[in-house]
């Protein structure tokens, strides 16, 4: 019997040829001039799912770009894996910074360069080819799968909530697998099992009816910039802790074994200082950089503005001042509750002499799959066996609204099995994907689905 | 014989037409794209001085925009009045808040709307027309005059010191008269005998080498906006007092009789609250609004900015944050000393994790003239006779570095005879000038110069 490895080796050329074809279609979801390309890409994707032997393959319309769906449901006694990916890509500007054209895939130095190479066509393609390979080797898929590949991830998945809600039954599964994240570092296989949520608001302060001359009114009327600085500085103490009342109340503390796992990663903080060119790292006292960005909630000012911003000085006492504030939330915290607490803090700490309004931004709940869940542990083992390196079990500081959607509506564990590298320029010129991760990732995905077939999810 | 009053009435239309012509030239000294307009304005001004019969009219170059000069020196036994004004104006942003275009003067409700209407083309123009009128009525000017109109007041008069120093002999006079300030309230003639000085700086904070994703780095790297908010909020206590060390050390306390004079003005703070549409006044505890803005030093943030300022949210941890800070200074305070203290405060209170630089702005010393000086008293009487209302002898909160320059180099008394009103939006959109003050002011200026001719300055 031919092995997975032999099959993958024999088909490597063809896989890369097919991936290049897919990458050649400029599926930029954000730009209306690519509407035709989006349709072509969806069709190409559907054809692939049919070719590899999935059933009931459909291009399912949404209010925006369609979702491509296919399934294989031949086993009563095997888990059903929902695989999510996206066929749309980021715009390519500034185009002049690309060394080779973004939609003419180029392989050099064992990397494939193209828009979408790592985010997310390259990674989605690996699941498609893993399924094809498993079928070729075993004569059938060892598990049940449902594959959905959307076309609006890069514009914030505006229609995904409604889609998942509408097809709740159709999408029902035992586990969701997504490869749209990065490995913690080159050569270190990574399973991510948690993401932070998001909540925030804009606060707009108003002083006098218009800008005033700081000579005539300065010192006699509250300056909205002073009030804003005072308000914002009241939100952290000097140890980097958020001082909004009750902010940390519902935070689920990190388990000792998780903390130990993070410590064991030996994350190099001094390399990060060097890379970012900061004088030092700074954050909530008592936590490492990884803890601060993975499992601790934050409050960040994303923008702050008022008064004169041009060159030199204009002695104005401005009428208005504003700040945009967002919080990254961790399991236990509720976005609505946090916005309420922010509002209460602002109400309480707003200096005299100004009026204000607040406007909440879109929210996202934090998400975590228990670290000892079999879907997580089997994924880690599958990676470890292929890479020959201990798997890093991580959380990530960013938010993934799609994870929130699936978790809320379908109520299932989520495995984020990323093969990208942070250095691969996703969302930037010269996006690329390391082919050693393409090769090893394909083997690891096959290994994972074989494992799930054997052990199930209990 | 035709009287001053009759002549002014007959020429009113023409005066307003000429003023509108002058206001139509966008003489924004701060912006290099208006260089041509500055030259045109200087030429227009020089032509006016020639037209009204001044002699030796010149456009005198400086390293920046030129000074326009003209003189009338026919009397051996009369005082020589140096009249100062400026033909440059502030920028017009935010342009969308103007009801009519800033350089298309519009007269409505007996006010003229345009950038420069009150600050300072409108007020400078009154002196030009007063001289023209006096000459028409008397056949000669009753006093000697030197008129100098500069083009860099709104950018801090960077070349005036050198100019006055160079032409010290040429500019020699018995008194300097400036109309570039405001009346204390509508209908209340005002002579100002003191101004605050100015010192300030920009502070620029730098965090990482570029903007960071707030999900991946938020909470683990100092946010320059947090650092800036903390720094700025450290500069005042909650009672409105400046907390920069030694800031008040050299302030000369207000004399009891001056305080009594200010109290006697019965300044209506509640009317000001109503006018400015602020919920309340706010400033250093223990002082009235007039004291806070006339005789107490201040520290104001004039601009503060960093991060995302567009619509909605961008979850960025910005690399940079900046603030523009200026202090109004009172007699006893030295601008250089204050900038040093600001620098020391910033050094001491800058949070960890960022680097920073400071850049000082142009400075101006505070200035005061004894209020019983004849030049001040005659001015008050001249105003009282025209307005039929007791003159307010005041100080003002604004800075006029030029007053300091003239006082230092030429050593002469200075009369600030302002006809603007605080509500006239100078330095803001919809700047305007009340024409009743244009009319009465013209008569008062004529009256003043006739008085000086009769009584001299002893």
């Amino acid at each position: 019997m031919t092995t997975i490895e032999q099959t993958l080796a024999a088909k490597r050329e063809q896989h890369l040829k097919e991936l290049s074809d897919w990458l050649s279609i400029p599926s930029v979801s954000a730009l209306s001039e690519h509407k035709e390309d989006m349709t072509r890409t969806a069709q190409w994707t559907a054809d692939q799912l049919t070719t590899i032997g999935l059933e009931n393959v459909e291009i399912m319309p949404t209010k925006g770009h369609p979702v491509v769906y296919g399934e294989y449901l031949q086993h009563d006694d095997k888990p059903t894996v929902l695989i999510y990916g996206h066929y749309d890509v980021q715009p390519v500007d500034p185009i002049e910074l690309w060394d080779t054209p973004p939609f003419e895939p180029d392989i050099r130095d064992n990397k494939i360069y193209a828009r979408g190479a790592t985010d997310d066509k390259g990674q989605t393609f690996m699941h498609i080819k893993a399924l094809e390979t498993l079928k070729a080797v075993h004569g059938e898929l060892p598990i049940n799968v449902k594959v959905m590949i959307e076309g609006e991830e890069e514009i914030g998945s505006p229609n995904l909530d409604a889609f998942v809600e509408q097809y709740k039954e159709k999408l029902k599964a035992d586990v969701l697998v997504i490869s749209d994240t990065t490995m913690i570092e080159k050569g270190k296989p990574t399973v991510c099992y948690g993401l932070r949520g998001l909540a925030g608001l804009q606060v707009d302060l108003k002083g006098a009816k218009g800008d005033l001359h700081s000579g005539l009114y300065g010192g006699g009327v509250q300056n909205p910039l002073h009030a804003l600085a005072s308000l914002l500085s009241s939100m952290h103490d000097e140890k980097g802790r958020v001082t909004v009342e009750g902010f940390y109340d519902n935070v689920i503390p990190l388990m000792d074994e998780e903390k130990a796992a993070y410590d064991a990663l030996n994350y190099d903080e001094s390399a990060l200082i060097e890379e970012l060119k900061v004088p030092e790292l700074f954050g909530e006292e008592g936590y490492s950089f990884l803890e601060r960005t993975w499992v601790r909630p934050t409050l960040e000012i994303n923008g702050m503005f008022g008064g004169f911003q041009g060159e030199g000085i204009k002695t104005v006492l401005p009428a208005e001042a504003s700040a945009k504030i967002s919080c990254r939330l961790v399991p236990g915290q509720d976005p609505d509750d946090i916005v309420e607490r922010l509002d209460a803090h602002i109400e309480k700490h707003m200096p005299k002499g100004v009026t204000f309004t607040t406007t909440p931004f879109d929210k996202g709940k934090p998400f975590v799959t228990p670290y000892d869940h079999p879907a997580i542990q089997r994924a880690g083992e599958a990676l470890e066996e292929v890479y020959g390196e201990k798997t890093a079990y991580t959380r990530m500081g960013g938010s993934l609204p799609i994870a929130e959607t699936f978790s809320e509506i379908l109520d299932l564990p989520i495995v984020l099995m990323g093969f990208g590298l942070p250095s691969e320029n996703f969302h930037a010129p010269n996006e690329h994907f390391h082919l050693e991760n393409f090769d090893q990732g394909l083997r690891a995905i096959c290994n994972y689905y074989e494992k799930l077939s054997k052990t199930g999810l209990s």
Side-chain angles (χ1 to χ4, degrees), chain A:
Chain A
M1 190 178 113
T2 330
T3 64
I4 295 285
E5 209 147 328
Q6 285 164 340
T7 308
L8 287 173
K11 294 283 189 127
R12 190 173 189 266
E13 285 288 286
Q14 193 192 319
H15 287 169
L16 291 176
K17 167 73 182 60
E18 286 172 8
L19 175 56
S20 294
D21 287 349
W22 203 22
L23 290 170
S24 300
I25 319 177
S27 50
V28 182
S29 50
L31 303 173
S32 56
E33 69 249 41
H34 289 291
K35 185 141 181 35
E36 194 64 36
D37 298 315
M38 292 302 293
T39 309
R40 263 206 300 150
T41 312
Q43 188 58 59
W44 192 100
T45 311
D47 292 347
Q48 266 290 317
L49 298 192
T50 303
T51 303
I52 66 163
L54 295 195
E55 294 157 1
N56 302 319
V57 172
E58 291 181 72
I59 296 176
M60 301 172 74
T62 71
K63 280 184 185 164
H65 304 299
V67 170
V68 180
Y69 178 85
E71 64 188 20
Y72 180 96
L73 304 168
Q74 304 290 341
H75 306 284
D76 288 338
D77 56 346
K78 301 289 181 190
T80 300
V81 176
L82 176 61
I83 299 168
Y84 166 93
H86 64 90
Y87 65 83
D88 66 321
V89 300
Q90 280 276 321
V92 297
D93 287 329
I95 184 78
E96 67 276 11
L97 296 186
W98 287 78
D99 294 331
T100 51
F103 298 113
E104 296 175 21
D106 186 55
I107 295 175
R108 52 187 189 268
D109 198 19
N110 205 35
K111 299 170 194 118
I112 184 164
Y113 285 80
R115 172 58 86 224
T118 184
D119 178 17
D120 184 44
K121 281 176 176 167
Q123 297 199 56
T124 300
F125 188 72
M126 288 158 70
H127 285 272
I128 297 173
K129 293 295 118 174
L131 296 178
E132 185 179 43
T133 305
L134 286 166
K135 196 149 189 245
V137 170
H138 298 297
E140 62 166 11
L141 290 187
I143 48 164
N144 297 315
V145 299
K146 296 178 176 180
V147 176
M148 69 165 286
I149 304 175
E150 76 149 322
E152 303 192 308
E153 201 273 347
E154 299 296 2
I155 52 172
S157 302
N159 298 296
L160 192 72
D161 277 21
F163 184 89
V164 176
E165 189 61 52
Q166 184 179 352
Y167 297 107
K168 199 170 160 171
E169 279 309 307
K170 187 182 181 80
L171 298 173
K172 207 172 164 184
D174 299 305
V175 60
L176 170 64
V177 177
I178 304 175
S179 294
D180 193 20
T181 50
T182 61
M183 297 163 68
I184 187 166
E185 63 186 65
K186 206 162 164 9
K188 185 78 175 170
T190 305
V191 172
C192 177
Y193 63 98
L195 287 157
R196 292 196 286 191
L198 190 66
L201 53 76
Q202 175 156 335
V203 57
D204 297 298
L205 281 63
K206 176 95 180 147
K209 62 176 178 177
D211 287 357
L212 301 175
H213 189 293
S214 80
L216 300 186
Y217 298 95
V221 173
Q222 178 65 277
N223 182 329
L225 294 175
H226 297 186
L228 184 60
S230 168
L231 173 72
L232 295 177
S233 76
S234 76
M235 292 182 174
H236 291 90
D237 65 19
E238 72 282 4
K239 293 176 175 176
R241 207 173 149 82
V242 177
T243 48
V244 172
E245 202 180 321
F247 187 76
Y248 297 100
D249 276 3
N250 300 313
V251 170
I252 299 168
L254 190 60
M255 290 185 298
D256 289 346
E257 58 202 292
E258 282 179 288
K259 184 170 166 50
Y262 301 163
D263 289 348
L265 291 172
N266 286 316
Y267 185 76
D268 188 348
E269 297 198 352
S270 55
L272 183 67
I273 289 171
E274 182 57 33
E275 183 201 326
L276 299 180
K277 308 276 181 240
V278 288
E280 64 197 302
L281 298 180
F282 178 78
E284 192 186 358
E285 200 174 66
Y287 295 92
S288 69
F289 177 80
L290 289 188
E291 288 166 358
R292 287 168 176 168
T293 53
W294 287 1
V295 297
R296 295 299 297 172
T298 66
L299 184 157
E300 292 291 322
I301 312 171
N302 306 113
M304 178 168 89
F305 46 98
F308 182 64
Q309 303 191 17
E311 208 180 311
I313 182 73
K314 185 177 174 188
T315 49
V316 71
L317 195 169
E320 292 171 357
S322 297
K324 292 170 187 284
I325 300 167
S326 66
C327 298
R328 298 287 174 170
L329 307 181
V330 298
Q333 289 183 301
D334 174 67
D336 293 320
D337 173 65
I338 291 298
V339 169
E340 260 177 47
R341 289 178 190 278
L342 275 178
D343 269 323
H345 182 97
I346 290 169
E347 181 82 38
K348 186 173 168 190
H349 290 84
M350 184 65 70
K352 287 194 291 189
V354 290
T355 55
F356 69 95
T357 56
T358 64
T359 311
F361 296 126
D362 285 340
K363 303 177 186 86
K365 289 190 182 171
F367 154 77
V368 70
T369 303
Y371 152 87
D372 52 2
H373 191 285
I376 299 294
Q377 291 300 318
R378 293 305 84 72
E381 291 157 17
L383 287 162
E384 233 162 80
E385 287 165 13
V386 169
Y387 276 83
E389 179 75 34
K390 266 196 114 41
T391 291
Y393 294 91
T394 71
R395 299 207 217 174
M396 278 186 192
S399 305
L400 208 51
I402 52 151
E404 156 69 5
T405 295
F406 287 112
S407 169
E408 279 281 291
I409 302 173
L410 300 182
D411 187 25
L412 79 185
I414 302 178
V415 178
L416 298 166
M417 197 183 204
F419 297 100
L421 288 176
S423 61
E424 287 177 337
N425 291 357
F426 46 99
H427 294 209
N430 297 317
E431 177 177 348
H432 57 280
F433 188 42
H434 283 64
L435 293 182
E436 74 248 30
N437 288 324
F438 180 77
D439 294 329
Q440 292 184 287
L442 264 166
R443 287 158 57 200
I445 293 169
C446 291
N447 191 18
Y448 183 37
Y449 292 152
E450 285 175 334
K451 257 181 211 294
L452 288 185
S453 173
K454 275 179 211 136
T455 67
L457 275 171
S458 47

